[in-house]
Amino acid sequence: QVQLKESGPGLVQPSQTLSLTCTVSGFSLTSNSVHWVRQPPGKGLEWVGAIWSGGSTDYNSALKSRLSISRDTSKSQVFLKMNSLQTEDTAIYFCTREFEIYNNYFDYWGQGVMVTVSS
Amino acid sequence: DTVLTQSPALAVSPGERVTISCRASESVSTGMHWYQQKPGQQPKLLIYGASNLESGVPARFSGSGSGTDFTLTIDPVEADDTATYFCQQSWNDPYTFGAGTKLELK
């Protein structure tokens, strides 16, 4: 069955770099795109970026200068790197699979990983 | 970016019918989807393409709309439906989410 699982450090110091991994199973990264979505505590969902099934990437314009998304298809892993972290980046980070036939929507989500930016 | 506007909160009694609205700042055709999120959990897909029920989701949930105005309906509401409901559009780049509507049961 389809599964996604995020992993990474729970605490990052301000100005440092965040590295997260999304490990997927039950589908191929060359068949489905994977997106990152984040949610600050008690707030709504914000689209962060995506790596499309073809390998190209797309980023939230507000984060683009600090953000990089890549993948290792042989390991079924997607990576998020965000530098110059600020306290406003404190959030739960989810990875999610995009279903891309007829309609594009997020059909499977990881459980999320809480990232706190604090010294 | 396409802004999606939702009412912040609703309170209804079990057994009632509730409609949750989402208005887009520009047309998204039928590229609108609805998710349910309970505290401490990831979002769960309910409706895709404005009106299509995701497999496994109870038929009490339905969606309608096209263009800029969309509605998620729950009829009848059950206690387990207490959650925050988000709309999300995938018609225009970048994908955007509404701020969410928190549904509480009386």
Side-chain angles (χ1 to χ4, degrees), chain B residues 14-94:
Chain B
E16 291 185 345
R17 178 177 184 267
V18 64
T19 58
I20 298 171
S21 65
C22 177
R23 173 164 288 178
S25 61
E26 59 186 321
S27 177
V28 300
S29 186
T30 57
M32 182 66 77
H33 323 295
W34 291 93
Y35 303 86
Q36 176 193 64
Q37 187 180 34
K38 297 181 179 181
Q41 296 185 16
Q42 67 269 54
K44 173 188 174 184
L45 176 69
L46 297 176
I47 300 288
Y48 63 91
S51 61
N52 300 286
L53 189 68
E54 172 69 349
S55 176
V57 174
R60 304 183 290 104
F61 293 88
S62 63
S64 64
S66 66
T68 60
D69 290 297
F70 298 86
T71 299
L72 172 70
T73 300
I74 311 172
D75 186 16
V77 172
E78 296 183 358
D80 188 52
D81 299 334
T82 298
T84 300
Y85 294 84
F86 294 94
C87 56
Q88 177 249 328
Q89 67 82 23
S90 60
W91 190 256
N92 301 317
D93 285 333

Side-chain angles (χ1 to χ4, degrees), chain A residues 68-82:
Chain A
S68 174
I69 297 175
S70 59
R71 69 184 185 183
D72 183 334
T73 56
S74 67
K75 295 183 178 179
S76 295
Q77 292 181 322
V78 175
F79 309 104
L80 177 149
K81 289 192 188 302
M82 185 183 301

Side-chain angles (χ1 to χ4, degrees), chain A residues 14 21-22 34 45 48 53-54 61 67 73 102 106 117-118:
Chain A
T21 300
C22 175
V34 171
L45 301 166
V48 173
S53 54
S61 59
L67 185 62
T73 56
Y102 175 59
F106 302 134
V117 182
S118 174

